[in-house]
Amino acid sequence: MDLAIRKGTVVTAAGTFQADIGVQGAQVMLLGREVPAADRELDAAGLYVLPGGIDVHTHLGRLRPFQGVDDFRTGTRAAAAGGVTTICEYVIHPRDTSLASQVEQWLAQGREQSIVDFGLHLHIGDPRPEVLNEMPALVEAGYTSFKVFMNRNFDSRVREYLTALERAGALGALTCIHCEDESIIGHLTDNLLGQGKTDVRYFAQSRPAFSEAVATARAVAFAEATGAPVYIVHLSSAAALEVTRRARARGLPVYVETRPIYLYLTRERFDQPGKEGNKYVGYPPLRDSEDVSALWDGLRNGDIQTVATDHVGLSFAPKAEPPDFSRIPAGMSNLETLVPMLYSEGVAKGRISLPRFVELIATNPARLFGMFPRKGTIAIGSDADLVLFDPSVQVTIQAEQMHSQADYDVYEGFTVQGWPKVVLSRGQVIFQDGRVVGRPGQGQFIPRERFGGL
Amino acid sequence: MDLAIRKGTVVTAAGTFQADIGVQGAQVMLLGREVPAADRELDAAGLYVLPGGIDVHTHLGRLRPFQGVDDFRTGTRAAAAGGVTTICEYVIHPRDTSLASQVEQWLAQGREQSIVDFGLHLHIGDPRPEVLNEMPALVEAGYTSFKVFMNRNFDSRVREYLTALERAGALGALTCIHCEDESIIGHLTDNLLGQGKTDVRYFAQSRPAFSEAVATARAVAFAEATGAPVYIVHLSSAAALEVTRRARARGLPVYVETRPIYLYLTRERFDQPGKEGNKYVGYPPLRDSEDVSALWDGLRNGDIQTVATDHVGLSFAPKAEPPDFSRIPAGMSNLETLVPMLYSEGVAKGRISLPRFVELIATNPARLFGMFPRKGTIAIGSDADLVLFDPSVQVTIQAEQMHSQADYDVYEGFTVQGWPKVVLSRGQVIFQDGRVVGRPGQGQFIPRERFGGL
Amino acid sequence: MDLAIRKGTVVTAAGTFQADIGVQGAQVMLLGREVPAADRELDAAGLYVLPGGIDVHTHLGRLRPFQGVDDFRTGTRAAAAGGVTTICEYVIHPRDTSLASQVEQWLAQGREQSIVDFGLHLHIGDPRPEVLNEMPALVEAGYTSFKVFMNRNFDSRVREYLTALERAGALGALTCIHCEDESIIGHLTDNLLGQGKTDVRYFAQSRPAFSEAVATARAVAFAEATGAPVYIVHLSSAAALEVTRRARARGLPVYVETRPIYLYLTRERFDQPGKEGNKYVGYPPLRDSEDVSALWDGLRNGDIQTVATDHVGLSFAPKAEPPDFSRIPAGMSNLETLVPMLYSEGVAKGRISLPRFVELIATNPARLFGMFPRKGTIAIGSDADLVLFDPSVQVTIQAEQMHSQADYDVYEGFTVQGWPKVVLSRGQVIFQDGRVVGRPGQGQFIPRERFGGL
Amino acid sequence: MDLAIRKGTVVTAAGTFQADIGVQGAQVMLLGREVPAADRELDAAGLYVLPGGIDVHTHLGRLRPFQGVDDFRTGTRAAAAGGVTTICEYVIHPRDTSLASQVEQWLAQGREQSIVDFGLHLHIGDPRPEVLNEMPALVEAGYTSFKVFMNRNFDSRVREYLTALERAGALGALTCIHCEDESIIGHLTDNLLGQGKTDVRYFAQSRPAFSEAVATARAVAFAEATGAPVYIVHLSSAAALEVTRRARARGLPVYVETRPIYLYLTRERFDQPGKEGNKYVGYPPLRDSEDVSALWDGLRNGDIQTVATDHVGLSFAPKAEPPDFSRIPAGMSNLETLVPMLYSEGVAKGRISLPRFVELIATNPARLFGMFPRKGTIAIGSDADLVLFDPSVQVTIQAEQMHSQADYDVYEGFTVQGWPKVVLSRGQVIFQDGRVVGRPGQGQFIPRERFGGL
């Protein structure tokens, strides 16, 4: 045995149990009350042993028009330090490019730089027939999820997107949809700007919950029209959640992701003095406390299946500069805090159970995106992507101590209960006692299986 | 006094009462237990005296690309014969035309041919800035309602339509919206046709209730985004009704029209042998019995505010010819039966009360479309548009006895309880004892007031 | 003609029109642009002429265990002064009494003291077989509505009440139900008091919206089980309204009354210093601003059909004395303000239209409770119960100027736009220019017709 | 190692994996790709290894007024043969008895006769203070769940039951509630019988879905009033499911069990000729196909958390005898088929996934009822309650081959895909290749932990 992890409390989506873990090569090979001696031993007494976190929503590739300061290197340092051992990165697809060529670039960067394993979702930014014809080979090659933005360049190409969605479903791929109504938010934004309301305190007003809810209703109708499963990314509001709840109650294959910021912050952040509010700009905007409460209920009762970050490594300067709220680059750094914040605010505060927590940040992402049981659980034959999580430490978030290159953190000053102590990727320690020891390039590309439901 | 109508049971939206009616010129000038002798006397003993029916959804102008056999002359003969004394006709607006020029043509036809009074709604088929700039003057001139089709040429021009809707709201106009999702029905239709499913029995499948419901949800969101009131035309399904009910419960200015065929017929009609099913093709399609039942509940409890026909005078031949269901001309003749069918199936069968019946076919249409109190009620100063309705006669519907030029009737063979005996338009008898005596050109154009809610 | 009312704007549920009104004896006999000279003339120029208000929820009989300071005499003075020309009073039925004997006492008091016309609802406080056997004769005699309290002595007698409800439905009577869950509010109240939380600021907590909503859900289920129509009295919360909306959407015969205080006040009133909060105690308690907003939406869109006061003439002393919130006598004086407050807050502020206002305070109450068309509208043959309402005056509410004997008013200090100038009951002036001139005993008992829906 | 189970596909709620299992004594001690040789070896190649099924709803104690033919001995033979290794039996509590004395009798029978492990829920049939005072000691002793029937002797004792529920919540116990409205079903039943409608084809009508839905709404309100978690037993209808869905969406601690018969059968069964329909009588009755479909959606999306049988071993004779439907003994034998039917109709037909299946019949029951992780999963330290399940066999259900003493089976003639091959209870084989080899008395009483959510 290469490695034994002893006396930890193993946590899976099915529950917790005391066990030693034996790792051989990259995989968990033994679980037992006591396992034989191994070449390397880790003491997990007093710690939870969790499956590595999976963040299925990142933007690290330095290839987009408006990129941030993080790349796969720095972004996955943050991941590793926060207990995330797999990411799914969105390959962005600009007009007039092929999917394959975009994939190639992302794949090259990931392979060269990534410290943790990574899958790639394929954005479809230009759903012309040639592009759709690329889909079968790409699905075959393990790119089993696509992405559609309803908030841009969508309304004039709905028919093409319906074809894409139907094709994805038929191929066994899951389609991730950003649900905000392009036309409504465009209309409201132009109205506000036209009235001179350029400050970030008008931002939330420009993209109201009802614009998210109606876009979500359309995504649900598209699923019904095509028979294809859809995955709503970063759902933020009670109104949109109600739409998905009704869809799921009718048996439609609709899945829901939320995003950490919607669980911990509210729109009052936009009202802070100066440019401070700009820091919190992402799409959709922060919502009200009623929405926050509805999302927690959804995490607890199963209406929401995953939490993922939409991490973009953005510093304050580019967010503070723009002349109006509509031009503030969207997104923020929050990959490193995904796992500890959800543990602290969710489990430690009694809102969700430990198994549910693991389900949200590991098991469900792995299952929905075709990486299960290789990823997402602690089981015989699974990759030894493991987090030895210390529930007893307290950490106060400070941007300078985070591994992202971004110079601010939206949770600055939050005190978090619990933090990863050791993180392993396929049996190798990549983070220990505050230091990232994994190397860029150590992360592997994960070709993913076809969608098989939850 | 020019005319006295004696001993009838007057029915308004507020209730019923026994009274004589005195008419001076075009207007009701006296209501009393007994009114003085007049030049002309009508005996209404045993009859209901109703305000003239108002059909706010007709297509009679012979100016459309695919016109039917009726024009204002024959169409309003049918109206008069059925107790409809006012219609609101849709002026169709093809691409690259001005609203004003279209209005002119419709107005000319109406003035020349119409037997009953008429208002004109303005379709916006090409919402370019020049067209939107025509709106203020047209609203000022009494064209206080517009029409948007979401089922064609919509998805690529949503932003322009949002501007149009907002403009309409600001001008005090009501916007009528045909709610079916263009992209979804296009997608499903192409799929069905591609599978060789061209028969009319696939028609309903090509435009499912969920495509109506999601379009309705968008219309509601557009109302919320613009603050403009919207009027959903010919709502046909329980699912779409549920959308409007929730919107109205939240206080949004959303109004609902249904159409006779959805109250009396179900989709099984499309399964009849041969081309028989083609007769019933309209947009949206006939639905299920659960939908019928939900619509009746909506008529009774106030969730639906109007019933209107979408009358198009189409004969069987052009409906039977097309090679596939998607090319069957949509619409059918049903103006003449609007009032008696709703009385018979609604009031006589105990589903709705007499005042509610009058509200649906007269008062609400008049109020929503700025013709009240001139039209839509029996009150001092109102136009003497009156129907002496005999609840005791039974009529079996036969196409050849209908006044439309269409050669079939969707209710062929239905036995109806109650029929108009005398119909007056502004104090003039236009129909009496089975004969239309009104003359083309007798109908006036009704400039309408701005929208003032219900 | 005995009386002519000239140049007013007549308002009915169907709309408004300019007309003179001719009254002969007790009835409206003529409506016209100009009516012949009469013995008495009233100038209504600049005034609205409304059908007299109908308050279908009063407690004036001085026969209850815990009576207030008003009786039919003082209570109907307040009514007359506020434009209410008909009340429906609840005959209270204590255990071990017969309905008939109770009716007799109430009837005697009403006939002797009432200034305005009155009907009597029959509370069933003891639904034993002998009592239920009294129902047919009483319905026949014009007592066509019954009342059930779910908040007391109910849970142990549900079967008997189901029988009563079914009987009422079969007889053509409407059953009014007070919907609060007896057991839940008892449980919560005892818990609070047990914790020493006796102050009125805990009152709302003792009777939460969910206890109203679940009782309303039971009332709906009882309607479904028995086929009998039900009328939910003084509905106060968005949650309960949602229950009735769903019931009505399913076609169930469920009708909804709300009460003025829920439209103008919120639960913060209970947090005022000293015993001030006790003034506002009624069942159910005041709710939140979200509830207020939902009720206004319901008034506008038709989900709520009536507004009635539950008037009890209570002075401050008996409300201030009790040692804990559960013993504060429930109810308050608010009959006089019913009509002007709803006009001011509703019509003048643009929340509801004039016809809707008349529908809520006159037409619907009359129709639901079998007094239409005698009461509730202005039509030929209707009782000349008329309010000449001056929309231009402003009145600041002060308890000492109100006609109730109660020494405080819950709207003290509110400024109201519009107030009755002249009020007529069956053609007789009973209030004019600030003075009640009607005499006790002038009001008649109104035997009511069986329930016929809306 | 005492036992090695080799080459099976281990299934837990978190997923599936290939592993050998090592059992030492009563517990799973090792999971590995290959485990060391053991005293006994079982070959699981081609089989699923599932955690033993848990049926949390049985009636086997021969102590009730109307007992069936099964006792712990025959009932747990059926359990073992069907892959159920733990049951939770309801101790019935008649009026005027103590809980403790009832527990003692049930415990004695279980210990003497049960082949599989068992927990005991405590029915509270007489919630007087002395009984409620027994609760703390019983919870302490491992009886951490209680049962309330809303369908009998409830409406007159709601306050006492609210106290019991609150007490249970405070003690950390979960309260199971039978949700049917006692008064409504009593009323409807008496009406039907009074009309001579005694045949079983009127049975479903006597207990309609709305009577279940409103009772469920009350149970939800009771949870809200007391803060105590509630568990809705054998939920059968879409309407009731909608009530629980809304409650859970609001964050209330409401959990839902359904029952096999509602997933596989519809009310048409009651219309069979002769007394055949009587076989299917249980409370609530079978519902419509729309309900069946809604329940499956609920199993899939997480709105329903458990499936349990409500097994009562009843033969045909006592069900066929009664003179009317209301006296047919409720319940039926269906314990043995719980696991294979849900696998066959659920997993094999693609309606639910394998992990979800395990969650429903093992993990969730164990977690909700305080037996986790000892029961309900396959993990280190868990009891070796294991089912080697052969998905390849087909079995046609025949009553005579079932182990219940009942002489008929509601699924007679159904062909089931998959059946247990070997069943182990705490490491001991109790069923193998068609033969029950476990001995009465081998089953142990399981004291259960306090409720800790899911």
Coordinates of all heavy atoms in Angstrom, one line a residue, chain A residues 98-139:
Chain A
S98 N -14.0 27.3 -34.6 CA -14.6 26.0 -34.4 C -14.4 25.6 -32.9 O -13.6 26.1 -32.2 CB -13.8 25.0 -35.2 OG -12.5 24.8 -34.7
L99 N -15.3 24.7 -32.5 CA -15.2 24.2 -31.1 C -13.9 23.5 -30.9 O -13.2 23.7 -29.9 CB -16.3 23.2 -30.8 CG -17.8 23.8 -30.7 CD1 -18.8 22.7 -30.5 CD2 -17.8 24.8 -29.6
A100 N -13.5 22.7 -31.9 CA -12.3 21.9 -31.8 C -11.1 22.7 -31.5 O -10.2 22.4 -30.7 CB -12.1 21.0 -33.0
S101 N -11.0 23.8 -32.3 CA -9.8 24.7 -32.1 C -9.7 25.3 -30.8 O -8.7 25.5 -30.2 CB -9.7 25.7 -33.2 OG -10.8 26.6 -33.1
Q102 N -10.9 25.7 -30.3 CA -11.0 26.3 -28.9 C -10.6 25.3 -27.9 O -9.8 25.6 -27.0 CB -12.4 26.8 -28.7 CG -12.8 28.0 -29.5 CD -11.8 29.2 -29.4 OE1 -11.0 29.5 -30.3 NE2 -11.9 29.8 -28.2
V103 N -11.1 24.1 -28.0 CA -10.8 23.0 -27.1 C -9.3 22.8 -27.0 O -8.8 22.6 -25.9 CB -11.6 21.7 -27.5 CG1 -11.0 20.5 -26.8 CG2 -13.1 21.8 -27.2
E104 N -8.7 22.8 -28.2 CA -7.3 22.5 -28.2 C -6.5 23.5 -27.4 O -5.6 23.1 -26.6 CB -6.9 22.6 -29.7 CG -5.8 21.7 -30.1 CD -5.6 21.7 -31.6 OE1 -6.6 21.4 -32.3 OE2 -4.6 22.1 -32.1
Q105 N -6.9 24.8 -27.5 CA -6.1 25.8 -26.8 C -6.3 25.6 -25.3 O -5.4 25.7 -24.5 CB -6.6 27.2 -27.2 CG -6.3 27.5 -28.6 CD -6.9 28.8 -29.0 OE1 -6.6 29.8 -28.4 NE2 -7.8 28.8 -30.0
W106 N -7.6 25.4 -24.9 CA -7.9 25.2 -23.5 C -7.2 24.0 -22.9 O -6.6 24.0 -21.8 CB -9.4 25.1 -23.2 CG -10.0 26.3 -22.6 CD1 -10.2 26.4 -21.2 CD2 -10.4 27.6 -23.2 NE1 -10.8 27.7 -21.0 CE2 -10.9 28.4 -22.1 CE3 -10.3 28.1 -24.5 CZ2 -11.3 29.7 -22.3 CZ3 -10.8 29.4 -24.7 CH2 -11.3 30.2 -23.6
L107 N -7.3 23.0 -23.7 CA -6.7 21.7 -23.3 C -5.2 21.8 -23.1 O -4.6 21.4 -22.1 CB -7.0 20.6 -24.3 CG -6.7 19.2 -24.0 CD1 -7.4 18.7 -22.8 CD2 -7.1 18.3 -25.2
A108 N -4.5 22.6 -24.0 CA -3.1 22.8 -23.9 C -2.8 23.5 -22.6 O -1.9 23.2 -21.8 CB -2.6 23.5 -25.1
Q109 N -3.5 24.6 -22.4 CA -3.2 25.4 -21.1 C -3.5 24.6 -19.9 O -2.7 24.6 -19.0 CB -4.2 26.6 -21.1 CG -3.7 27.7 -22.1 CD -4.2 29.1 -21.6 OE1 -5.0 29.2 -20.7 NE2 -3.8 30.1 -22.3
G110 N -4.6 23.8 -19.9 CA -4.9 23.0 -18.7 C -3.8 22.0 -18.5 O -3.3 21.8 -17.3
R111 N -3.4 21.3 -19.5 CA -2.4 20.3 -19.3 C -1.1 20.8 -18.9 O -0.4 20.2 -18.1 CB -2.2 19.5 -20.6 CG -3.4 18.6 -20.9 CD -3.2 17.7 -22.1 NE -4.0 16.5 -22.0 CZ -4.6 15.9 -23.1 NH1 -4.4 16.4 -24.3 NH2 -5.3 14.9 -22.9
E112 N -0.8 22.0 -19.3 CA 0.5 22.6 -19.0 C 0.5 23.1 -17.5 O 1.5 23.0 -16.8 CB 0.8 23.7 -20.0 CG 2.2 24.3 -19.8 CD 2.3 25.6 -20.7 OE1 1.8 25.6 -21.8 OE2 2.8 26.6 -20.2
Q113 N -0.7 23.7 -17.2 CA -0.6 24.5 -16.0 C -1.4 24.0 -14.8 O -1.2 24.4 -13.7 CB -1.2 25.9 -16.3 CG -0.5 26.7 -17.4 CD -1.3 28.0 -17.8 OE1 -2.3 28.3 -17.2 NE2 -0.8 28.7 -18.8
S114 N -2.3 23.1 -15.1 CA -3.3 22.8 -14.0 C -2.6 21.9 -12.9 O -2.0 20.9 -13.2 CB -4.5 22.1 -14.5 OG -5.5 22.1 -13.5
I115 N -2.9 22.3 -11.7 CA -2.4 21.5 -10.5 C -3.4 20.4 -10.2 O -3.1 19.3 -9.7 CB -2.2 22.4 -9.3 CG1 -1.1 23.4 -9.7 CG2 -1.8 21.6 -8.1 CD1 -0.9 24.5 -8.7
V116 N -4.7 20.7 -10.5 CA -5.7 19.6 -10.2 C -6.3 19.1 -11.5 O -6.1 19.8 -12.6 CB -6.8 20.2 -9.3 CG1 -6.3 20.8 -8.0 CG2 -7.7 21.3 -10.0
D117 N -7.0 18.0 -11.4 CA -7.7 17.5 -12.6 C -8.7 18.4 -13.1 O -9.3 19.2 -12.4 CB -8.3 16.1 -12.3 CG -7.2 15.1 -12.0 OD1 -6.0 15.4 -12.2 OD2 -7.5 13.9 -11.6
F118 N -9.0 18.3 -14.4 CA -9.9 19.2 -15.0 C -10.7 18.6 -16.1 O -10.2 17.8 -16.9 CB -9.3 20.5 -15.5 CG -8.3 20.3 -16.6 CD1 -8.7 20.5 -18.0 CD2 -7.0 19.8 -16.4 CE1 -7.8 20.3 -19.0 CE2 -6.1 19.6 -17.4 CZ -6.5 19.9 -18.8
G119 N -12.0 18.9 -16.2 CA -12.8 18.6 -17.4 C -13.1 19.9 -18.1 O -12.8 21.0 -17.6
L120 N -13.6 19.8 -19.3 CA -13.9 21.0 -20.1 C -15.3 20.9 -20.6 O -15.8 20.0 -21.2 CB -12.9 21.1 -21.3 CG -11.5 21.3 -21.0 CD1 -10.6 21.3 -22.3 CD2 -11.2 22.6 -20.2
H121 N -16.1 22.0 -20.3 CA -17.4 22.2 -20.9 C -17.2 23.0 -22.1 O -16.4 23.9 -22.2 CB -18.3 23.1 -20.0 CG -18.5 22.7 -18.6 ND1 -19.3 21.6 -18.2 CD2 -18.1 23.3 -17.4 CE1 -19.3 21.5 -16.9 NE2 -18.7 22.5 -16.4
L122 N -18.1 22.8 -23.1 CA -17.9 23.5 -24.4 C -19.0 24.5 -24.5 O -20.2 24.2 -24.8 CB -17.9 22.5 -25.5 CG -16.9 21.4 -25.4 CD1 -16.9 20.7 -26.8 CD2 -15.6 21.9 -25.0
H123 N -18.7 25.8 -24.4 CA -19.6 26.8 -24.8 C -19.9 26.8 -26.2 O -19.0 26.5 -27.1 CB -18.9 28.2 -24.4 CG -19.6 29.4 -24.9 ND1 -18.9 30.4 -25.5 CD2 -20.9 29.7 -25.0 CE1 -19.7 31.3 -25.9 NE2 -20.9 31.0 -25.6
I124 N -21.1 27.1 -26.6 CA -21.5 27.2 -28.0 C -21.9 28.7 -28.2 O -23.0 29.1 -27.8 CB -22.6 26.3 -28.4 CG1 -22.2 24.8 -28.2 CG2 -23.0 26.5 -29.9 CD1 -23.2 23.8 -28.6
G125 N -21.0 29.4 -28.8 CA -21.2 30.8 -28.9 C -21.7 31.2 -30.3 O -22.2 32.3 -30.6
D126 N -21.6 30.2 -31.2 CA -22.0 30.4 -32.6 C -22.6 29.1 -33.1 O -21.9 28.3 -33.7 CB -20.7 30.8 -33.3 CG -21.0 31.2 -34.8 OD1 -22.1 31.3 -35.2 OD2 -20.0 31.5 -35.5
P127 N -23.9 28.9 -32.9 CA -24.4 27.6 -33.2 C -24.8 27.3 -34.7 O -25.8 26.8 -35.0 CB -25.7 27.6 -32.3 CG -26.1 29.1 -32.3 CD -24.8 29.9 -32.4
R128 N -23.9 27.7 -35.5 CA -24.1 27.4 -37.0 C -23.9 25.9 -37.2 O -23.3 25.2 -36.5 CB -23.2 28.3 -37.8 CG -21.8 28.1 -37.6 CD -21.0 29.2 -38.4 NE -19.6 28.7 -38.6 CZ -18.7 28.7 -37.6 NH1 -19.0 29.2 -36.4 NH2 -17.5 28.3 -37.8
P129 N -24.4 25.4 -38.3 CA -24.5 24.0 -38.6 C -23.1 23.3 -38.5 O -22.9 22.2 -37.9 CB -25.0 23.9 -40.0 CG -25.9 25.1 -40.2 CD -25.2 26.2 -39.4
E130 N -22.0 24.0 -39.0 CA -20.7 23.4 -38.9 C -20.3 23.1 -37.5 O -19.6 22.1 -37.2 CB -19.7 24.3 -39.6 CG -19.9 24.6 -41.0 CD -21.0 25.7 -41.3 OE1 -21.5 26.3 -40.3 OE2 -21.4 25.9 -42.4
V131 N -20.7 24.1 -36.7 CA -20.3 23.9 -35.2 C -21.1 22.7 -34.6 O -20.5 21.9 -33.9 CB -20.6 25.2 -34.5 CG1 -20.5 25.0 -33.0 CG2 -19.6 26.3 -34.9
L132 N -22.4 22.7 -34.9 CA -23.2 21.6 -34.4 C -22.7 20.2 -34.9 O -22.7 19.2 -34.2 CB -24.7 21.8 -34.7 CG -25.3 23.1 -34.2 CD1 -26.8 23.0 -34.2 CD2 -24.8 23.6 -32.9
N133 N -22.1 20.2 -36.1 CA -21.6 19.0 -36.6 C -20.3 18.5 -35.9 O -19.9 17.4 -36.0 CB -21.3 19.1 -38.1 CG -22.6 19.2 -38.9 OD1 -23.7 18.7 -38.4 ND2 -22.6 19.7 -40.1
E134 N -19.7 19.4 -35.1 CA -18.5 19.0 -34.4 C -18.9 18.3 -33.1 O -18.1 17.6 -32.5 CB -17.7 20.2 -33.9 CG -17.1 21.0 -35.0 CD -16.2 22.1 -34.4 OE1 -15.1 21.9 -34.0 OE2 -16.8 23.3 -34.3
M135 N -20.2 18.4 -32.7 CA -20.6 17.9 -31.4 C -20.3 16.4 -31.2 O -19.8 16.0 -30.1 CB -22.0 18.3 -31.1 CG -22.2 19.8 -30.9 SD -24.0 20.3 -30.9 CE -24.5 19.7 -29.2
P136 N -20.8 15.5 -32.1 CA -20.6 14.1 -31.8 C -19.2 13.7 -31.5 O -19.0 13.0 -30.5 CB -21.1 13.4 -33.1 CG -22.0 14.5 -33.8 CD -21.4 15.8 -33.4
A137 N -18.3 14.1 -32.3 CA -16.9 13.7 -32.0 C -16.4 14.2 -30.7 O -15.6 13.6 -30.0 CB -16.0 14.2 -33.2
L138 N -16.8 15.4 -30.3 CA -16.3 16.0 -29.1 C -17.0 15.3 -27.9 O -16.3 15.1 -26.9 CB -16.7 17.5 -29.1 CG -15.8 18.3 -30.0 CD1 -16.4 19.7 -30.3 CD2 -14.4 18.5 -29.4
V139 N -18.2 15.0 -28.0 CA -18.9 14.2 -26.9 C -18.2 12.9 -26.8 O -17.8 12.4 -25.7 CB -20.4 14.0 -27.2 CG1 -21.0 12.9 -26.3 CG2 -21.1 15.3 -27.1

